[in-house]
Amino acid sequence: MSEEPEKSGGESTLTVLLAGGVNLAIAIMKLIAGIITGSGAMLSEAAHSVADTFTEVLLLTALKRSDRPADRVHPFGYGKERYFWSLLAAVSIFASGSMFALYEGVSTLFGHGEAQSTSILSYIVLAVAFLLEGTSWVQAVRQTVRESKAENRSLWAYLRLIDDPTPKTVLFEDSAALIGLLVAFAGIGLHQITGSEVWDGVASIVIGVLLAFVAYLLGRTNRGLLIGRQANPEIVRGVRDHLSAAPEIEAVVDLQTMLMGTDQVLVCTRVDFDDSLGAGDVERACVRIAAELTSSFNDVTEVFIEPVPRSDPDLRATVLARYGDIAERWNTPGQ
């Protein structure tokens, strides 16, 4: 199960604010150095930091707007706004950072760029930027490692199943920033050693490709969340086991879950109740079981229980088509 929403959200805000302040300062330094030296790699890095700064603004918007309570227009709340704004952040990384870096690289390689010069200023800016980016990166790593341990998962499994794209976005963009700084340093250094601007252009293209890859990874994550991804498998198994253990339920016919936002899970289940129960008994059982699920699983916020006969052939075919053989094992002892 996830940490409490307030704690996780507060740390996400700190991570984003730190990354935003760092990126803004770095963008200004890189831009000044890029204008003075005319380095395509340095200008590409400036565009990278500008894109990252804009990304943090979008992530802050995501954090604030997704915390609004449910209302008549959006009865399930605004949790998915976090995924929408985070998707825009991924688009920003691609459009603002990657495209400009690729343009600078191609212009330099084909001789249409600005005249370039080497300067100690470039190395100083890159070194300071690396230290500042490292500070933001450490905060992002600390948050993701702490939260992965809280869920008893490896870091990679946690990042794959994460329902809050904010720390993942900051971690990925900061990692890309550190790699990009090393690439820019290499490009400028090789340009100075060889006197050829080709290396500076190549560095810009590598930075552009790196940013495009990061944007793709983050876009894919948010796409899955926006479409409506299943809840954490541990929660799904826990809910299924809880339902199966209820004395009034003879079989769990269908179980559907969906992430409605960070730490917000919708549970919809169809169950076959004991036929000896009256209508009042079934109603009271539904209310009790729903309360037990929201109490036992912090992330479960909405529960809908529908009584159905497990022998219905159409329903059975639908469930088997969705889940395959695992649906057969739901009500098999020991599975």
Side-chain angles (χ1 to χ4, degrees):
M1 287 178 282
S2 304
E3 295 181 355
E4 291 296 327
E6 294 79 9
K7 181 177 180 181
S8 177
E11 187 165 18
S12 292
T13 301
L14 172 62
T15 299
V16 172
L17 286 173
L18 178 60
V22 165
N23 286 323
L24 179 59
I26 292 174
I28 295 172
M29 291 190 301
K30 289 177 180 176
L31 182 60
I32 294 173
I35 293 173
I36 292 174
T37 63
S39 168
M42 185 61 73
L43 289 173
S44 296
E45 274 298 300
H48 181 176
S49 294
V50 169
D52 285 352
T53 303
F54 187 56
T55 294
E56 311 312 332
V57 174
L58 291 172
L59 292 179
L60 280 175
T61 303
L63 291 171
K64 297 303 180 183
R65 293 186 64 85
S66 63
D67 284 342
R68 290 180 295 168
D71 55 30
R72 181 170 58 87
V73 178
H74 295 89
F76 288 102
Y78 292 81
K80 286 194 174 185
E81 277 225 48
R82 187 171 301 197
Y83 307 151
F84 170 75
W85 291 101
S86 297
L87 179 62
L88 291 186
V91 173
S92 166
I93 293 174
F94 178 76
S96 302
S98 177
M99 290 296 96
F100 183 84
L102 291 172
Y103 168 79
E104 279 294 325
V106 171
S107 296
T108 301
L109 285 178
F110 289 94
H112 302 299
E114 298 287 338
Q116 299 181 20
S117 62
T118 54
S119 170
I120 188 65
L121 176 63
S122 296
Y123 298 112
I124 293 175
V125 168
L126 290 176
V128 173
F130 195 89
L131 291 175
L132 292 176
E133 287 284 6
T135 301
S136 175
W137 181 81
V138 167
Q139 167 61 24
V141 170
R142 283 177 177 171
Q143 180 179 355
T144 51
V145 169
R146 185 181 301 114
E147 292 179 358
S148 65
K149 288 182 178 179
E151 294 191 7
N152 196 28
R153 293 183 178 279
S154 68
L155 179 61
W156 300 116
Y158 173 75
L159 289 173
R160 182 170 57 84
L161 297 170
I162 194 170
D163 63 356
D164 182 2
T166 306
K168 181 175 181 177
T169 300
V170 175
L171 177 62
F172 277 30
E173 71 176 18
D174 283 350
S175 299
L178 291 175
I179 296 172
L181 288 168
L182 294 176
V183 171
F185 187 92
I188 293 172
L190 289 170
H191 174 206
Q192 184 176 16
I193 293 171
T194 64
S196 172
E197 295 180 356
V198 169
W199 295 109
D200 199 76
V202 169
S204 294
I205 291 176
V206 171
I207 292 169
V209 172
L210 174 65
L211 291 177
F213 180 64
V214 169
Y216 165 74
L217 292 178
L218 295 176
R220 185 177 65 175
T221 295
N222 287 287
R223 170 183 172 274
L225 292 168
L226 273 174
I227 290 174
R229 201 183 72 194
Q230 177 181 260
N232 184 318
E234 290 185 1
I235 293 180
V236 176
R237 286 193 294 268
V239 169
R240 181 202 65 193
D241 293 343
H242 192 98
L243 292 169
S244 298
E248 299 91 345
I249 295 176
E250 292 190 343
V252 178
V253 180
D254 192 9
L255 175 59
Q256 295 173 270
T257 63
M258 184 169 64
L259 292 172
M260 300 299 297
T262 299
D263 302 320
Q264 299 175 37
V265 173
L266 168 69
V267 174
C268 298
T269 182
R270 296 183 175 99
V271 298
D272 187 356
F273 282 96
D274 186 338
D275 290 339
S276 65
L277 297 175
D281 297 325
V282 171
E283 291 171 350
R284 286 187 290 272
C286 287
V287 172
R288 191 197 79 246
I289 293 170
E292 291 173 351
L293 290 175
T294 55
S295 175
S296 300
F297 304 93
N298 293 332
D299 291 355
V300 174
T301 55
E302 295 284 352
V303 179
F304 295 90
I305 303 174
E306 179 184 1
V308 297
R310 68 180 123 174
S311 57
D312 184 85
D314 293 335
L315 179 57
R316 176 182 171 83
T318 300
V319 174
L320 286 175
R322 185 189 307 127
Y323 295 111
D325 292 340
I326 191 173
E328 295 280 15
R329 300 198 297 269
W330 279 357
N331 300 294
T332 302
Q335 298 295 324

